[in-house]
């Protein structure tokens, strides 16, 4: 198992580009991660990384070994899945990603219940509102809102997620309530946008009497964290477009109120992506099935 542990650590160092990041991901010390890489290099009699003070860059031999190592780990995962199917005791580790709002409100809180059902499955959860590359990030399952960009992956649709435009009463008292989608364009209103490097130009797709219109909106604040946008809205700094489940409590208390309810945002797809090889992995199937049920419940009207 020691050699296999070395390979797993090498793969994560390669994918994350950092010894310390890989160590945190593997729940080992940076010293242990470094020792594992050194042991591999000594065994192979090659240098796998060029080390600088700031970054690790894979050598040509390191890149070749990475692709071979991934095949080895895939074969081991498939063998473990076969054993799990026979023994009905799924085990192993899943690397999972989810948007911040969904992870904080649904997936994270539900993980202890999943762990109680399947104590031999460990979950490494990453939360980000950015779209992540599963292969580059070493992920097994990625939950997301919207449409996927990578058609080479398996997709499972979970639910249609209702969305809403809303703002704090203090903002509407100061700026007035928009009456039509046209009121959102220009400088009359501050719209708070989710934006991250590489994100497309932001538009709000709204259902109008004339059909769906995609409205170009702008405002003084943008963030790559959806919860930051909610905090800004709660403090009266603008209008947000949010999944209903993320702001349901604030709407119930009146801290946020609906905006343009007659022209609401169109629902967005809630789904998950996973590599084809994970289709037969029992621990991945169990996790997706469990969380799909939790997410579907959260999407239902309160």
């Amino acid at each position: 198992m020691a050699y296999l542990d070395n390979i797993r650590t090498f793969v994560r160092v390669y994918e994350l580009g950092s010894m310390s990041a890989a160590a945190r991901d593997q729940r080992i010390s940076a010293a242990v991660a470094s020792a594992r890489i050194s042991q591999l290099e000594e065994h192979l009699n090659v240098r796998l990384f060029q080390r600088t003070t700031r970054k690790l860059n894979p050598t040509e031999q390191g890149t070749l070994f990475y692709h071979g190592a991934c095949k080895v780990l895939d074969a081991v995962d498939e063998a473990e899945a076969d054993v799990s199917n026979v023994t009905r005791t799924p085990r192993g580790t899943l690397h999972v990603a989810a948007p911040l709002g969904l992870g904080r409100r649904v997936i994270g809180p539900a993980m202890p219940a999943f762990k109680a059902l399947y104590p031999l499955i460990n979950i490494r959860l990453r939360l980000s509102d950015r779209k992540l590359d599963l292969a580059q990030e070493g992920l097994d399952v990625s939950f997301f809102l919207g449409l996927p960009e990578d058609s080479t992956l398996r997709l499972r649709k979970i639910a249609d997620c209702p969305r809403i435009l809303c703002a704090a009463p203090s903002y509407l008292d100061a700026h007035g309530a928009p009456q039509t989608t046209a009121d959102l364009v220009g400088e009359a209103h501050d719209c708070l946008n989710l934006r991250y490097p590489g994100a497309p130009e932001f538009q709000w797709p709204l259902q109008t009497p004339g059909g769906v219109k995609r409205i170009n909106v702008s405002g003084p604040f943008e963030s790559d964290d959806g919860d930051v946008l909610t905090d800004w809205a709660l403090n009266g700094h603008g209008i947000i477009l949010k999944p209903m489940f993320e702001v349901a409590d604030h709407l119930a208390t009146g801290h946020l109120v609906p905006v343009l309810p007659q022209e609401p945002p169109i629902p967005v797809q809630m789904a998950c992506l996973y590599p084809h090889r994970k289709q037969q992995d029992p621990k991945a199937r169990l996790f997706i099935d469990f969380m799909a049920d939790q997410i579907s419940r959260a999407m239902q009207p309160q």
Side-chain angles (χ1 to χ4, degrees), residues 74 77-78 93-95 139-141 154 274-285 288:
D74 286 348
D77 288 343
E78 288 182 12
T93 299
L94 284 174
H95 293 84
L139 297 167
D140 300 308
V141 178
R154 299 283 298 182
Y274 55 97
H276 281 263
R277 64 183 173 83
K278 287 293 176 183
Q279 187 175 12
Q280 301 304 320
D281 184 342
K283 63 180 180 293
R285 291 202 313 272
I288 292 171

Side-chain angles (χ1 to χ4, degrees), residues 192-266:
L192 306 173
N193 288 332
L194 183 70
R195 183 95 64 172
Y196 47 87
E201 192 66 25
F202 206 93
Q203 296 178 323
W204 285 357
L206 306 180
Q207 183 65 58
T208 73
V212 175
K213 289 186 179 180
R214 299 187 178 276
I215 309 300
N216 291 307
V217 295
S218 61
F221 302 133
E222 296 176 350
S223 177
D224 62 355
D225 184 330
D227 282 351
V228 170
L229 300 182
T230 302
D231 288 342
W232 284 336
L234 287 167
N235 286 301
H237 297 302
I239 301 170
I240 51 172
L241 184 156
K242 296 290 288 185
M244 186 72 76
F245 78 92
E246 288 191 24
V247 293
D249 290 345
H250 300 307
L251 292 167
T253 60
H255 293 133
L256 292 175
V257 296
V259 170
L260 282 177
Q262 72 278 16
E263 298 183 349
I266 61 173

